[in-house]
Every structure is written in C-alpha cells, then in structure tokens.
Amino acid sequence: MTSAAHTPLGGRLNTLVIDGRVVEGHAVLTPRGELVRGCADTLARTLEELPDRVSGVDLDMTDVVFMDTAGLQFLDLLDAYGRRHRVPVRATHWNGQPRRILELVGLDTEDPLRHASDRTAGPRTTSAVARERAEQLDELRVEIEQLRQAIVSRPVIDQARGVLMATHGCTSEQAWDILRETSQHSNTKLRAVAAAVVAGAEPKGPTPPEEVRRALRTAISRRLHGSS
C-alpha cells in the first residue's frame, strides 16, 4: 500500500510518499519526503485504503525532511481520523527541520498527537492540535515565511549549507541554523545571506557585506562553540 503526491512548488517537484502495511490489525505508515501543499490529500488517500477496523495507526516520521504549515493540516487529519474511529494514532521519530516546527508551535516533539490519545471521549469542537497551533500562530508565520523563501531558494541555500559544512565541519542542520540566525540578526533575506556565503567561497569572490559577516561570525561562534 503506497500513496504519493507530486506538488509543484518553487519550480520543483516536492514528493510525499506514504508506504503502509497492516500487522495484526494495526496500521504502520511510513511517510517519506516533505509535508507541503498536498500532503494532507496524500494522507487522506492512504487512510481511506486502510481496513474498516484497525486497532491503531502508527506513523514513523524519520524520513520526513521538510514541513511547512501544511504539515499541521496533516496532523489535524490524523487527529480527526483517530477521534472518528476511536483508535490510538501516533506520529513519532521526528527530526531536523520538521521537529523544529513542532517545537515552535508548542507541540510534543516525540509525538504531537500524544495529548489527543484518549479517543473514548468522542470529538471535540476544536482539536488539541488546532488549539495549540492558534496559540503560537504569530511566531509561526514569521518562521514559515522564511521556510517558504527557503523552498524557492533551495539550490543556493543548499550550496551555502555545503560551504559551511565543508569549512566548519558542522552538520547540515547546524549549517541551516547558522544561515537562519545570520539572516535574522543582519536583517537580510535568507537567500541573500546564502548567496553571499556561496560567492565568498569562490577564489576571487566578493566579501559579504559587513553586517552579514558580523552576524555570520556570531552565529558560527554560538552554534558551534557555545559562545555568544
């Protein structure tokens, strides 16, 4: 059982594939790709293919590499399915950028549906996921706007991450955090920061603007050396 979606965004194809199997009446789903526009539709098709009576649904989110606000719709749909069928639903093993989004909106990063595990009480007027999303919406909008820009600008941002990883021996996630923090502290768009990092890595490349260099040094020092 496999469902897939191909959604054009920012000039490229973002793919979500959900593999699934049912073991002794329990559904085990493995999404792979990105939780962006269309991901809830893919999940809906997957859930429709499940047997009428499953004892529960477990999702392993290890291979989900990116998430924007559509990922919250994905969680809402899972929550609604569990309540409608009165079965436990879990989504675990979050990492990287999707885990950061869960932190930002105040959800449990181990299982954002944990607090909604009691299915016997029946449906509520507002799901716990939606309620927590509303509480953090203003901060989330700022973060998601940066993420949308990152999708459109992904090639140059990926190059910049590669430059930072090669230069400073950091992980891909640390490189992303350095770029994002530099953008915030220098009041410079993320794409512009990434382009400056890539250009500066060329043998005769231009030096990044002073405010970007200063913010970049601070971010590297804080993220990699633990100093402010």
Side-chain angles (χ1 to χ4, degrees):
M1 177 177 66
T2 300
S3 295
H6 301 273
T7 306
L9 184 61
R12 64 186 294 274
L13 290 180
N14 293 290
T15 304
L16 177 69
V17 175
I18 303 179
D19 295 323
R21 66 186 188 278
V22 178
V23 180
E24 297 181 351
H26 196 92
V28 180
L29 306 181
T30 309
R32 291 181 285 110
E34 302 179 349
L35 298 186
V36 294
R37 186 178 61 182
C39 67
D41 294 334
T42 304
L43 176 63
R45 288 194 296 271
T46 301
L47 295 176
E48 287 174 359
E49 294 174 0
L50 294 179
D52 291 337
R53 296 182 179 179
V54 293
S55 58
V57 181
D58 277 338
L59 286 84
D60 183 344
M61 309 301 290
T62 302
D63 293 326
V64 173
V65 297
F66 186 84
M67 169 178 168
D68 64 13
T69 49
L72 300 178
Q73 298 172 354
F74 185 95
L75 291 175
D76 276 343
L77 183 59
L78 282 173
D79 186 38
Y81 179 89
R83 294 189 178 285
R84 185 168 63 253
H85 294 274
R86 298 192 177 187
V87 296
V89 177
R90 300 194 316 147
T92 58
H93 302 133
W94 298 81
N95 53 61
Q97 185 270 344
R99 186 183 180 94
R100 163 63 181 154
I101 294 298
L102 297 182
E103 292 174 349
L104 188 62
V105 296
L107 295 178
D108 189 327
T109 56
E110 298 303 319
D111 177 10
L113 298 175
R114 188 197 307 272
H115 54 288
S117 60
D118 181 7
R119 310 293 174 187
T120 60
R124 295 178 292 184
T125 53
T126 304
S127 74
V129 172
R131 185 168 60 250
E132 295 210 32
R133 177 178 60 190
E135 292 172 355
Q136 301 291 338
L137 189 55
D138 287 342
E139 188 179 359
L140 177 62
R141 283 174 179 154
V142 174
E143 181 84 4
I144 291 301
E145 181 57 33
Q146 287 192 328
L147 296 176
R148 284 175 177 156
Q149 293 176 14
I151 293 174
V152 175
S153 309
R154 183 167 293 181
V156 70
I157 289 175
D158 283 347
Q159 292 177 47
R161 290 167 77 173
V163 168
L164 292 174
M165 291 165 66
T167 304
H168 299 283
C170 61
T171 66
S172 178
E173 186 173 351
Q174 286 173 322
W176 163 259
D177 288 338
I178 289 169
L179 290 172
R180 186 167 57 85
E181 185 173 315
T182 301
S183 172
Q184 292 172 341
H185 290 176
S186 65
N187 196 27
T188 305
K189 289 186 177 180
L190 188 61
R191 176 183 173 82
V193 170
V197 169
V198 173
E202 296 293 332
K204 296 183 179 180
T207 302
E210 174 57 30
E211 62 273 16
V212 172
R213 293 203 309 272
R214 186 166 54 248
L216 186 60
R217 285 195 299 268
T218 300
I220 290 171
S221 179
R222 199 173 77 83
R223 294 286 178 177
L224 303 185
H225 308 298
S227 58
S228 55

